[in-house]
Amino acid sequence: MPSITTPPPLVTPEDEAYDAARQAWNLAADPRPAAVATATTVDEVRAVIAHARSQGLRVTAQGTGHLASALPSLERTLLLKTQMAGPIAVDAAARTARVPAGTTWEPVVMAAAEHGLTALHGSAPDVGVVGYTLGGGLSFYAREYGMAANHVRAIEVVTADGEPRRVDGEHDPDLFWALRGGGGAFGVVTAIEIELLPIERVYAGAIFWPASDAPAVMRAWVDWCATAPSSITSSMRILNLPPLPEVPEPLRGVPHIAFDGAFVGDAAAGAESIAPLRAAAPPKIDMFAEVPATAVMRIHGDPEEPVPYLSRDAMLGPLDEAAIDAFLAVAGEGSGSPLVAAELRQLGGALREAPAGAGVTGSMPAEFMLFGVGMMMAPEHAEAMPPALERVISAMRPWETGLRYLNFAEAGGSAEACFAADAYARLVRTRREWDPDGLFVSSHDIS
Ligand SMILES: Cc1cc2nc3c(=O)[nH]c(=O)nc-3n(C[C@H](O)[C@H](O)[C@H](O)COP(=O)(O)OP(=O)(O)OC[C@H]3O[C@@H](n4cnc5c(N)ncnc54)[C@H](O)[C@@H]3O)c2cc1C
């Protein structure tokens, strides 16, 4: 490799630009790194790594900061924002896209759609492709196609020794395995080559009912999940949306129960599949329809601007009557829950088993994902939200599988909580091999 050039400008706590530079997408996160740099080329990434080493600093890579609440103290750490220059290169014949780090899902999905293709993106268009995929990647196509990390052809990464590498199933396969689900502890990813899906249209959307219908709707959904085809992936949420202008008028300030998801197939088959849910209670709003695949990015209605929030998560096994009652008692009508959302995502299908050659997060060993979100908009929320989130998690503890999903484990901590013991031991070995000095700081520690 040519010699390393000077690093891009560093922003330090003494600089006026520091607060803007360190800000993450989750505004409740308060990262205070020793310095912030933004890299747009591989050489700049190498220069930042060399500079950090020379100053005795560690390095943490960030795309958007959606997972910033999980980061540990960054006191002796340089925050490296990866905004790599270059196009999203779609190879329509090969059904792949090379995506520079820092790119969010929306431009990738739009570029793929020009060729009648789509990607295994998540529920928000502005989540980073790299961070999402390094954490596993659970999409609304997951029950049919599995984790997004199972659809990665190659990863371009600068490792702790400052060397740029392109890793895949044949080149540094251990590193390739660890990067596909183990997060950002193994290097700074500069680009990722992902597979695209030949899907142009889907039957997708959301249905809303008043929260008073939650017992009937939730029971119908849990029953339906047991036999639903893998061609549909869905979520069920109790929503308490604030009375803000950006919230659709009928949903403002009134609790609802919402079903959303995507069915890969034609509209008639999709409608037949979700008929038991429509029959559970008369919907207040029914937006399920045949739509272009690009619409799937917004069916969940996630915020697309930075917001302050706190969340808690758990993976759950099969849910019985007692589980539904327990969930509704802490999140449903009359519970007094201040949470903006208490969500269950449907797993199963192709998520049950890791395909041959998968990365560390090749499957999802659970039936449902539990996710609670509290907005931190006012000072009193700092007191109200943590116990409200804890109530939901505690209520569902009897159904927990014990493992967590890295992308949703926003409270951070050790990655050990996210993996089976043998997988975690292999991650630790791989980390020691590729980052023996512990240069990289990631959302979930691996050591
Ligand atoms: C509104 C919302 C909706 C979401 N929906 C889904 C969903 O449907 N399915 C799902 O699976 N997840 C979902 N997530 C979780 C999301 O996938 C994770 O937060 C993910 O880590 C975000 O990636 P990012 O790059 O945007 O965030 P960042 O905070 O920038 O990155 C997260 C971590 O990834 C690593 N990383 C990022 N970039 C690099 C890089 N260039 N090199 C090395 N490491 C890097 C770092 O460890 C970093 O701490 C959602 C999150 C939010 C807030």
Side-chain angles (χ1 to χ4, degrees):
M1 286 300 296
S3 65
I4 293 172
T5 48
T6 47
L10 299 180
V11 183
T12 64
E14 292 73 43
D15 294 318
E16 242 177 64
Y18 180 70
D19 279 341
R22 71 190 179 89
Q23 187 189 304
W25 189 90
N26 184 349
L27 299 174
D30 187 24
R32 292 184 176 275
V36 187
T38 301
T40 58
T41 65
V42 171
D43 261 359
E44 287 181 349
V45 170
R46 299 180 68 216
V48 168
I49 289 176
H51 174 80
R53 279 202 181 279
S54 74
Q55 301 299 304
L57 297 175
R58 302 178 75 197
V59 174
T60 193
Q62 189 174 83
T64 66
H66 273 78
L67 197 49
S69 63
L71 287 170
S73 163
L74 299 182
E75 202 185 343
R76 297 288 308 153
T77 301
L78 194 155
L79 172 61
L80 174 54
K81 297 201 167 182
T82 46
Q83 293 298 323
M84 306 306 286
I88 297 161
V90 174
D91 181 337
R95 283 203 215 124
T96 60
R98 179 185 178 277
V99 181
T103 310
T104 56
W105 273 117
E106 180 155 33
V108 176
V109 172
M110 298 315 287
E114 285 176 26
H115 306 276
L117 303 169
T118 198
L120 287 156
H121 60 85
S123 61
D126 63 341
V127 158
V129 175
V130 166
Y132 168 91
T133 311
L134 295 189
L138 184 65
S139 72
F140 278 116
Y141 303 109
R143 286 168 33 82
E144 184 76 340
Y145 294 97
M147 303 301 294
N150 295 344
H151 297 265
V152 176
R153 290 279 173 92
I155 298 177
E156 295 169 35
V157 57
V158 179
T159 40
D161 55 7
E163 287 303 308
R165 300 163 200 279
R166 182 182 156 87
V167 301
D168 58 23
E170 281 162 18
H171 304 93
D172 302 317
D174 254 27
L175 182 55
F176 187 53
W177 171 84
L179 283 166
R180 288 175 296 151
F186 302 89
V188 178
V189 171
T190 54
I192 188 162
E193 193 177 309
I194 57 170
E195 291 169 4
L196 301 173
L197 307 176
I199 299 174
E200 261 188 291
R201 296 186 72 77
V202 288
Y203 187 71
I207 302 178
F208 299 85
W209 296 263
S212 52
D213 286 329
V217 171
M218 188 59 88
R219 276 182 170 72
W221 182 68
V222 169
D223 282 353
W224 170 86
C225 284
T227 57
S230 59
S231 44
I232 188 162
T233 305
S234 73
S235 120
M236 189 63 88
R237 283 176 293 171
I238 306 279
L239 291 173
N240 286 300
L241 298 176
L244 295 175
E246 51 268 41
V247 173
E249 199 278 323
L251 302 176
R252 268 181 221 159
V254 188
H256 284 87
I257 181 159
F259 164 76
D260 58 20
F263 176 86
V264 183
D266 66 49
E272 194 186 327
S273 168
I274 66 166
L277 302 172
R278 284 190 164 123
K284 180 168 168 185
I285 303 174
D286 187 340
M287 303 190 315
F288 246 89
E290 191 188 313
V291 290
T294 51
V296 175
M297 280 185 291
R298 292 196 162 81
I299 57 174
H300 210 54
D302 280 339
E304 295 181 33
E305 296 295 326
V307 286
Y309 71 96
L310 205 62
S311 74
R312 289 287 306 274
D313 63 293
M315 299 230 264
L316 308 177
L319 300 181
D320 53 16
E321 283 286 317
I324 297 169
D325 289 344
F327 181 74
L328 293 175
V330 288
E333 199 181 41
S335 67
S337 165
L339 302 181
V340 69
E343 171 171 5
L344 292 165
R345 280 203 192 185
Q346 180 191 13
L347 306 177
L351 292 166
R352 288 215 164 85
E353 223 169 291
V360 61
T361 305
S363 66
M364 210 43 116
E367 293 299 314
F368 297 92
M369 175 85 57
L370 172 66
F371 194 60
V373 182
M375 300 310 283
M376 304 286 276
M377 298 289 198
E380 61 270 24
H381 292 165
E383 283 198 7
M385 297 308 162
L389 289 165
E390 183 52 40
R391 268 197 299 280
V392 172
I393 298 297
S394 308
M396 300 311 286
R397 199 147 281 140
W399 295 274
E400 256 198 88
T401 62
L403 288 185
R404 298 174 63 204
Y405 170 44
L406 193 131
N407 270 353
F408 281 21
E410 295 189 325
S414 170
E416 194 168 5
C418 302
F419 301 101
D422 54 346
Y424 185 69
R426 184 173 166 195
L427 280 175
V428 171
R429 284 198 305 276
T430 310
R431 174 92 197 282
R432 282 196 192 128
E433 185 185 339
W434 288 98
D435 183 13
D437 310 325
L439 176 71
F440 296 116
V441 174
S442 68
S443 57
H444 300 83
D445 183 49
I446 295 175
S447 59

